[in-house]
């Protein structure tokens, strides 16, 4: 029997397994975590509750939540050897490289172990500490110890700035963390699942996922989005600027998505948040750049339906809560690690090695010529 194989470049439309974590309806613009619509989730939960939901499948009771918060708090400090490692890295390092290196180091010194929930909690708790430690060191400041009484979002801002944030900033970052926590079989999550499928450990899976998140086609877009908004400067310059970008063969950062053929629901919620946290003039600029970008892309790619993706208003929100631009993607990782680890746990609970194929297009039947005759 001949097996017919089709090439699915970029694995577009390929179903690689089943999952009960996250549902994306790209035509309707819906995102669902474990059965709960993202609008409901963002309006009513904290990041800690969402992490519990992603890891365990159900919302926590009061006792379960307080137990998880305690475990997260206890896991926030990073060991001395990790602090020393971060201090040894060049101050000019890309923050995602620092995070990738540090999570990798965190996974050393212990025997290979099947991923479990304690790994998920430890990594999720430590990423904000790692980011903040490096950010303060490169600014010539001593790292702050985590504050146990603060939640995930408030403690992150505290460790970066040394000041307890106001409730508006805390709420904005908490919502950002919720919205970015999981998103189906995106490139970094798929990477994490591939690693886990080989019976490797959680630290290796998350380290690899961080590498995948770094690229601008995935998690590396928000810093270029902010740069785009700054370069455009005023709404009347948006159209010419964007047309020039497209003419030069470049992509408009923060627009387009593999799955959404309408507005990304996370972009809608982040737009709403940005309208209260960002500088009014800057928010208005972003809104008009969004409108112009959608129109210009509609003319350029009429069949594609390109709208703003999550990264567009992520950039505006993260900027408005005072995060440094080059910490945007590492902050994304502080949220997505909940989803990565939930997916790793799901993968190992019902594992099959992920091992796709390529269609071979190279030469065949060649014979090796001795080196002095080549
Ligand atoms: N600007 C200009 N053209 C675009 C854009 C964009 N932002 N997005 C897609 N297109 C065009 C492509 O050039 C392509 O045109 P072609 O068919 O003539 O070659 C067509 O639309 C389809 O693009 P693909 O790359 O096949 O679409 P895909 O679904 O694979 O890409 C992606 C999704 C990578 C996000 C893309 O829209 C993009 O590059 N956007 C800009 C970068 C970005 O915002 N990244 C963050 C994504 S959100 C996240 O990962 C968390």
């Amino acid at each position: 029997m001949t097996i017919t194989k089709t090439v699915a470049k970029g694995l577009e439309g390929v179903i690689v397994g089943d999952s009960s974590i996250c549902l994306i309806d790209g035509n309707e613009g819906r995102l669902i975590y474990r059965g709960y619509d993202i609008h409901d989730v963002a309006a009513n939960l904290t990041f800690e509750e969402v992490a519990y939901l992603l890891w365990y499948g159900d919302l926590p009771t009061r006792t379960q939540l307080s137990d998880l918060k305690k475990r997260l708090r206890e896991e926030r400090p990073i060991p001395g050897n990790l602090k020393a490692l971060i201090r040894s890295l060049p101050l000019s390092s890309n923050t995602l490289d620092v995070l990738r290196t540090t999570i990798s180091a965190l996974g050393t010194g212990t025997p290979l172990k099947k991923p479990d929930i304690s790994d998920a909690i430890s990594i999720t708790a430590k990423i904000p500490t790692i980011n903040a430690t490096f950010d303060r060191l490169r600014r010539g400041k001593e790292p702050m110890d985590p504050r146990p009484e603060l939640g995930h979002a408030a403690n992150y801002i505290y460790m970066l700035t040394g000041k307890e944030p106001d409730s508006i900033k805390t709420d904005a970052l908490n919502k950002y963390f919720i919205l970015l926590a999981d998103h189906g079989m995106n490139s970094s999550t798929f990477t994490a699942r591939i690693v886990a499928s080989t019976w490797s450990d959680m630290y290796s899976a998350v380290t690899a996922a961080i590498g995948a998140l770094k690229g601008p086609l995935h998690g590396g877009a928000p810093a270029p989005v902010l740069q785009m908004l700054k370069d455009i400067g005023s709404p009347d310059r948006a159209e010419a600027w964007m047309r020039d970008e497209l003419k030069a063969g470049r992509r408009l950062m923060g627009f387009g998505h593999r799955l959404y053929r309408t507005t990304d629901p996370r972009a809608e919620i982040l737009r709403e948040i940005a309208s209260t946290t960002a500088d009014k003039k800057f928010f208005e600029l972003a809104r008009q750049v969004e409108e112009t970008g959608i129109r210009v892309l509609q003319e350029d790619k009429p069949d594609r339906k390109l709208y703003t993706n999550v990264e567009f208003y992520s950039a505006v929100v993260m900027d408005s809560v005072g995060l440094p631009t080059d910490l945007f993607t590492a902050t994304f990782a502080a949220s997505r690690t909940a989803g990565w680890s939930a997916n790793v746990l799901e993968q190992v609970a019902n594992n099959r090695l992920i091992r796709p194929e390529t269609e071979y297009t190279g030469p065949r039947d060649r014979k090796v010529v001795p080196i002095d005759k080549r």
Side-chain angles (χ1 to χ4, degrees):
M1 187 183 75
T2 326
I3 302 172
T4 319
K5 295 180 180 176
T6 49
V7 177
K9 218 171 167 202
L11 296 182
E12 188 158 2
V14 175
I15 311 286
V16 295
D18 47 41
S19 173
S20 61
I21 302 174
C22 180
L23 170 69
I24 300 160
D25 182 335
N27 292 320
E28 294 296 321
R30 290 197 69 195
L31 169 61
I32 288 162
Y33 288 173
R34 300 266 192 205
Y36 298 95
D37 187 275
I38 195 68
H39 290 274
D40 192 12
V41 169
N44 295 306
L45 300 177
T46 61
F47 174 73
E48 288 84 344
E49 284 172 291
V50 171
Y52 188 101
L53 176 67
L54 295 174
W55 290 331
Y56 292 97
D58 288 306
L59 287 173
T61 61
R62 242 180 239 290
T63 316
Q64 287 165 335
L65 181 61
S66 101
D67 180 50
L68 176 65
K69 281 176 158 175
K70 180 168 172 290
R71 291 178 72 185
L72 283 165
R73 277 199 306 269
E74 286 168 358
E75 288 292 338
R76 277 179 190 162
I78 53 173
N81 66 331
L82 239 54
K83 285 186 194 160
L85 170 69
I86 298 172
R87 281 182 195 275
S88 77
L89 297 170
L91 295 177
S92 59
S93 300
N94 180 306
T95 55
L96 220 66
D97 293 343
V98 173
L99 184 61
R100 192 194 58 232
T101 303
T102 313
I103 294 296
S104 176
L106 189 62
T108 58
T110 45
L112 178 62
K113 169 174 89 74
K114 187 175 174 179
D116 63 29
I117 188 76
S118 64
D119 302 324
I121 291 173
S122 170
I123 296 175
T124 304
K126 286 182 177 63
I127 289 183
T129 315
I130 295 166
N131 287 349
T133 298
F134 178 68
D135 184 62
R136 287 187 70 84
L137 287 172
R138 69 182 176 162
R139 287 187 286 121
K141 299 189 169 171
E142 272 309 294
M144 308 291 298
D145 288 331
R147 282 258 299 270
E149 76 282 10
L150 299 179
H152 194 72
N155 176 59
Y156 186 41
I157 300 178
Y158 167 74
M159 285 190 299
L160 286 164
T161 61
K163 291 191 201 104
E164 207 176 307
D166 61 37
S167 61
I168 295 175
K169 283 187 178 161
T170 302
D171 191 45
L173 193 63
N174 181 53
K175 285 198 166 54
Y176 167 82
F177 279 145
I178 290 171
L179 293 167
L180 276 288
D182 195 47
H183 205 239
M185 202 50 60
N186 58 85
S187 307
S188 55
T189 301
F190 188 42
T191 304
R193 287 189 83 128
I194 292 171
V195 174
S197 84
T198 69
W199 291 359
S200 187
D201 60 281
M202 183 73 89
Y203 295 89
S204 303
V206 172
T207 302
I210 293 169
L213 190 73
K214 184 178 170 187
L217 294 191
H218 187 18
V225 166
L226 200 70
Q227 193 56 50
M228 169 179 72
L229 292 173
K230 287 184 176 165
D231 288 350
I232 290 174
S234 74
D236 55 308
R237 286 173 29 91
E239 181 154 355
W241 192 95
M242 291 173 133
R243 287 197 191 282
D244 282 351
E245 283 294 289
L246 294 176
K247 219 180 282 164
R250 289 189 285 267
R251 293 187 176 202
L252 301 180
M253 290 292 133
F255 291 87
H257 196 275
R258 177 61 70 80
L259 299 183
Y260 291 113
R261 292 293 167 261
T262 180
T263 314
D264 180 333
R266 301 166 300 172
E268 282 174 1
I269 302 171
L270 286 162
R271 187 197 297 118
E272 185 67 35
I273 298 168
S275 74
T276 62
T277 56
D279 168 78
K280 293 281 160 280
K281 208 166 153 211
F282 194 63
F283 174 72
E284 195 45 35
L285 169 69
R287 227 189 38 74
Q288 296 205 29
V289 168
E290 176 185 28
E291 266 175 36
T292 309
I294 293 170
R295 180 166 49 77
V296 165
L297 285 166
Q298 170 66 22
E299 283 168 31
D300 199 58
K301 303 266 174 256
D303 304 332
R304 194 64 194 178
K305 296 198 173 125
L306 299 165
Y307 292 84
T308 33
N309 61 46
V310 68
E311 300 288 44
F312 188 87
Y313 283 107
S314 285
V316 183
V317 168
M318 284 195 277
D319 181 54
S320 73
V321 301
L323 297 181
T325 314
D326 62 354
L327 208 62
F328 286 179
T329 305
T331 303
F332 184 173
S335 158
R336 183 56 60 86
T337 194
W340 289 332
S341 48
N343 273 274
V344 165
L345 296 176
E346 187 179 62
Q347 181 69 36
V348 299
N350 185 18
N351 190 47
R352 178 155 169 80
L353 176 71
I354 300 174
R355 205 299 182 198
E357 293 174 52
T358 51
E359 178 73 18
Y360 180 68
T361 56
R364 293 170 194 246
D365 303 327
R366 298 170 98 184
K367 290 275 176 277
V368 172
V369 176
I371 194 157
D372 53 357
K373 298 215 168 122
R374 282 175 221 157

